[in-house]
Amino acid sequence: MFNVIAFFLSSDHDEYRPPVWKSYLYQLQQEAPHPRRLTCTYHGMISREEADQLLSQAEGSYLIRESQRQPGTYTLALRFGNQTRNFRLYHDGKHFVGEKRFESIHDLVTDGLITLYIETKAAEYIAKMTINPIYEHVGYTTLNQEPTLKKHLTHSPEAPDGPAPAKDDCNAEERVHTFRGPHWCEYCANFMWGLIAQGVKCADCGLNVHKQCSKVVPNDCQPDLRHVKKVYSCDLTTLVKAHNTKRPMVVDMCIQEIEARGLQSEGLYRISGFSELIEDVKMAFDRDGEKADISSNAYEDINIITGALKLYFRELPIPLITYDAYPRFIETGKITDPDKRLESLHEALKLLPPAHCESLRYLMAHLKRVTEYEKDNLMSSENLGIVFGPTLMRAPELDAMTALNDIRYQRLVVETLITNEDVLF
């Protein structure tokens, strides 16, 4: 038995510690039976008994048959452990029998045989994998961090449920990930088996772990700038943690530029700038970060900068007013009594993650300053509510009519936030 050894810099940056990657599961994957396709893969409507007879000659052999019990549906029959196993087979452009989706039946069977073999041979070993983790020695933890809530696990396209909105304060994100070549879990040090979607990868720090290990990984990672490759379309909390700032630099820099030279501009935020130049600003932030040049020398038209700021909020994967908080804010917009609306809005703000709430506070204070120049720019809190309502708030999976009806409440919420910014925050 061999050991694969890697060295990681520890959290105190003074010494290297050598966690030893465990090879047992890797060896089992190497021993797993290989797929054996029959001369004819599809056998039409045959019985389980006939399929069993056809596959009885070799471990790993497989065929596809039409179900006799449910005509029009298909079954993958697979020989493993001296018996034939039958799985309902689905196809939606890719082939699957469970969460993982494959380009070919052969790949599906290869992955299935690996999983069956390892989980049969090493069930007890797998159940104890999380004992004595190596996580503390691999350099993903940081000191003096405030505790955060459990990371939210979102699925990649391999998982049928699709991405779900984050429900916690940190919004750190782990995605089911396909690793090319052998990879070991950086929590338990065991091999990550399978052909695709072998584990999950933290979008903040890059930690690679088994899906089951991700449930016990401490929430003390720090986003690594190497893994935050852009500014736009990046989770807001992840971005501010990575850059160790209160708010995204896009918000700070754009607002500062607008207040320096644009508060008296007629139609501020209502008039759109040239979309190509707005895209240029976006690319500049993604490429250069806080070094992006958005001065009047680079972009004379202030509407380019307002457009870039609005685009940033529109492209957030989790809106500034989050999916979880959205229903509460909409209900607040429906309240007609001004005092009760303010009270409800104050409670709704508590539902936002800290970075979202701080960014919203900063934006509302800015928009209130915009309204102080209403005689020049013609932008009242109502007009700004119309512009920013759909930009800051959006609900997933609403039917078109409900979404249309929500627009007026979105406007009322933003208008109230602007007018009462000093009281609410």
Side-chain angles (χ1 to χ4, degrees):
M1 183 178 291
F2 63 89
N3 290 323
V4 181
I5 302 177
F7 295 86
F8 288 89
L9 187 61
S10 69
S11 60
D12 59 10
H13 303 286
D14 291 330
E15 60 177 316
Y16 285 93
R17 301 189 183 188
V20 178
W21 304 118
K22 301 165 188 175
S23 61
Y24 175 52
L25 298 181
Y26 176 78
Q27 289 183 316
L28 287 183
Q29 175 158 315
Q30 298 300 100
E31 297 169 5
H34 297 286
R36 295 176 181 270
R37 182 168 48 202
L38 299 184
T39 304
C40 177
T41 303
Y42 177 66
H43 284 260
M45 189 178 288
I46 62 173
S47 67
R48 288 185 173 221
E49 293 73 22
E50 290 174 296
D52 182 63
Q53 187 174 1
L54 287 167
L55 299 176
S56 62
Q57 301 302 314
E59 188 83 342
S61 57
Y62 68 94
L63 60 81
I64 298 170
R65 62 182 179 84
E66 186 174 357
S67 173
Q68 288 185 325
R69 294 179 183 178
Q70 294 180 290
T73 65
Y74 297 91
T75 298
L76 171 67
L78 174 65
R79 191 73 175 179
F80 177 81
N82 294 318
Q83 59 179 304
T84 299
R85 305 195 180 200
N86 294 276
F87 304 89
R88 176 69 63 81
L89 183 63
Y90 300 91
H91 184 263
D92 62 355
K94 291 188 177 182
H95 306 279
F96 61 101
V97 297
E99 284 191 348
K100 297 184 180 182
R101 284 164 159 72
F102 299 84
E103 296 291 343
S104 69
I105 296 293
H106 188 80
D107 286 349
L108 186 157
V109 173
T110 302
D111 186 88
L113 288 170
I114 290 170
T115 301
L116 286 169
Y117 187 78
I118 289 178
E119 293 183 354
T120 300
K121 292 282 187 179
E124 186 175 349
Y125 182 90
I126 291 171
K128 297 179 179 179
M129 282 195 313
T130 56
I131 299 173
N132 300 321
I134 62 162
Y135 175 74
E136 293 179 0
H137 306 301
V138 297
Y140 287 97
T141 58
T142 55
L143 301 177
N144 303 319
Q145 272 194 258
E146 296 179 2
T148 55
L149 300 179
K150 181 71 182 172
K151 289 182 182 178
H152 182 75
L153 180 67
T154 62
H155 296 278
S156 75
E158 281 88 2
D161 294 331
K167 297 178 184 279
D168 57 23
D169 285 342
C170 101
N171 285 339
E173 193 174 353
E174 295 172 351
R175 294 189 180 278
V176 174
H177 190 76
T178 294
F179 298 95
R180 305 301 177 189
H183 268 73
W184 274 257
C185 175
E186 292 165 334
Y187 182 81
C188 72
N190 282 288
F191 179 68
M192 301 168 75
W193 66 89
L195 204 61
I196 67 168
Q198 303 95 330
V200 298
K201 186 182 190 74
C202 178
D204 276 355
C205 66
L207 182 73
N208 303 317
V209 295
H210 293 110
K211 189 173 179 180
Q212 58 265 46
C213 289
S214 72
K215 298 173 184 177
V216 291
V217 172
N219 295 293
D220 54 1
C221 76
Q222 180 74 14
D224 187 333
L225 285 172
R226 291 175 300 173
H227 300 284
V228 182
K229 300 184 184 299
K230 57 185 178 180
V231 173
Y232 279 68
S233 302
C234 176
D235 174 72
L236 189 150
T237 301
T238 297
L239 187 67
V240 299
K241 283 178 66 180
H243 291 272
N244 194 26
T245 58
K246 281 186 174 183
R247 300 172 296 272
M249 84 280 286
V250 179
V251 176
D252 281 7
M253 291 175 63
C254 286
I255 286 178
Q256 289 165 13
E257 191 67 26
I258 292 162
E259 295 196 353
R261 60 183 175 99
L263 287 175
Q264 295 176 296
S265 177
E266 184 176 333
L268 189 68
Y269 286 113
R270 180 179 56 81
I271 297 175
S272 299
F274 288 111
S275 58
E276 292 180 2
L277 294 178
I278 292 172
E279 284 294 324
D280 283 347
V281 174
K282 171 185 172 180
M283 291 172 60
F285 275 116
D286 283 342
R287 182 182 64 247
D288 304 324
E290 60 186 14
K291 295 181 180 179
D293 182 8
I294 59 171
S295 68
S296 57
N297 293 330
Y299 302 98
E300 184 178 355
D301 183 3
I302 198 63
N303 297 313
I304 303 299
I305 309 305
T306 60
L309 181 60
K310 290 187 292 182
L311 181 64
Y312 172 75
F313 287 121
R314 283 199 301 271
E315 292 195 353
L316 283 174
I318 300 173
L320 190 61
I321 293 176
T322 62
Y323 292 122
D324 287 338
Y326 181 88
R328 183 65 179 271
F329 276 86
I330 290 296
E331 288 305 311
T332 295
K334 295 177 181 179
I335 298 172
T336 55
D337 183 275
D339 291 335
K340 290 183 179 179
R341 180 187 292 171
L342 272 182
E343 184 180 344
S344 179
L345 200 51
H346 188 266
E347 292 301 311
L349 288 169
K350 295 178 181 178
L351 300 176
L352 298 179
H356 285 245
C357 192
E358 168 57 24
S359 299
L360 183 62
R361 180 202 66 77
Y362 190 73
L363 176 64
M364 292 303 109
H366 161 65
L367 294 180
K368 191 168 186 178
R369 288 190 289 273
V370 171
T371 64
E372 293 171 2
Y373 291 83
E374 182 182 350
K375 289 184 178 179
D376 300 307
N377 59 40
L378 307 181
M379 295 302 291
S380 64
S381 58
E382 181 180 357
N383 290 338
L384 290 169
I386 293 171
V387 172
F388 276 94
T391 301
L392 306 182
M393 304 174 66
R394 61 183 187 272
E397 300 177 0
L398 278 185
D399 62 83
M401 187 57 67
T402 303
L404 191 62
N405 289 335
D406 278 359
I407 290 176
R408 55 177 169 171
Y409 302 120
Q410 292 170 355
R411 174 187 64 79
L412 282 169
V413 166
V414 174
E415 182 181 348
T416 307
L417 285 169
I418 295 170
T419 306
N420 301 278
E421 168 271 330
D422 53 337
V423 176
L424 289 168
F425 294 95

